[in-house]
Amino acid sequence: MPTPSMEDYIEQIYILIEDKGYARVSDIAENLQVHPSSVTKMVQKLDRDQYLNYEKYRGLILTPKGKKVGKRLVYRHELLEQFLEIIGVDHDNIYEDVEGIEHHMSWNSIDRIGDLVQYFDENPGRVDALREIQKKNEEQNEE
């Protein structure tokens, strides 16, 4: 299993390849706000662990293993954003909150959150009912 740091790199590489068709060290460094030398070291480690194939000056491509992990990591991130949005977390906090929790949850927890998101998606009235409860609780807290 990749470490949280490895996951961040795999996720970012996957996103770049999906969006642009390629991922360069400089793009990864910019998106993760790290030095290119740090990216090069991690890319070499990911190559050794068979998540990607890297050739100096030629670029990198994800292996089937890397693509599978990348796709799952993007799913996890997007699912947690959806979940936090549904439960009413302030939009300005969602990205940072997801970044803070995504590496600390089991895949079992992620799957159960997926079930809950599906539950709310299947009937938008459930979200309205949740908002009513939240409104009532906020009013009680103000008293």
Side-chain angles (χ1 to χ4, degrees):
M1 285 301 297
T3 65
S5 180
M6 291 167 73
E7 286 183 346
D8 285 339
Y9 279 85
I10 294 168
E11 180 180 8
Q12 195 55 235
I13 292 165
Y14 181 87
I15 291 168
L16 283 166
I17 291 172
E18 287 293 303
D19 290 349
K20 297 170 80 173
Y22 60 90
R24 298 182 311 199
V25 167
S26 59
D27 295 328
I28 299 164
E30 182 180 329
N31 290 358
L32 292 176
Q33 298 178 331
V34 298
H35 293 286
S37 60
S38 298
V39 175
T40 299
K41 287 178 189 171
M42 180 59 80
V43 164
Q44 290 168 344
K45 179 170 179 32
L46 293 170
D47 181 67
R48 282 192 305 274
D49 291 349
Q50 300 178 341
Y51 290 103
L52 56 82
N53 293 319
Y54 173 67
E55 290 185 39
K56 195 172 184 178
Y57 307 119
R58 303 199 92 196
L60 55 94
I61 58 167
L62 290 169
T63 63
K65 175 182 174 181
K67 285 180 187 175
K68 181 178 179 180
V69 171
K71 185 175 184 175
R72 186 134 166 107
L73 295 172
V74 168
Y75 164 78
R76 175 181 71 186
H77 189 98
E78 291 173 351
L79 177 69
L80 289 171
E81 283 186 351
Q82 266 186 289
F83 173 68
L84 294 180
E85 189 173 313
I86 287 170
I87 64 171
V89 172
D90 185 23
H91 202 274
D92 294 339
N93 297 332
I94 289 177
Y95 182 81
E96 288 297 319
D97 286 351
V98 169
E99 287 297 310
I101 64 174
E102 67 183 339
H103 300 295
H104 302 284
M105 299 185 78
S106 69
W107 284 103
N108 180 256
S109 294
I110 298 297
D111 290 341
R112 297 301 64 82
I113 289 171
D115 296 341
L116 191 57
V117 167
Q118 181 180 350
Y119 172 81
F120 282 106
D121 281 348
E122 287 177 356
N123 184 341
R126 294 171 179 151
V127 175
D128 295 336
L130 176 62
R131 296 288 177 265
E132 286 298 317
I133 291 169
Q134 290 170 331
K135 183 179 175 185
K136 192 182 323 178
N137 288 339
E138 285 177 13
E139 289 170 357
Q140 288 176 350
N141 289 335
E142 290 175 2
E143 294 174 359

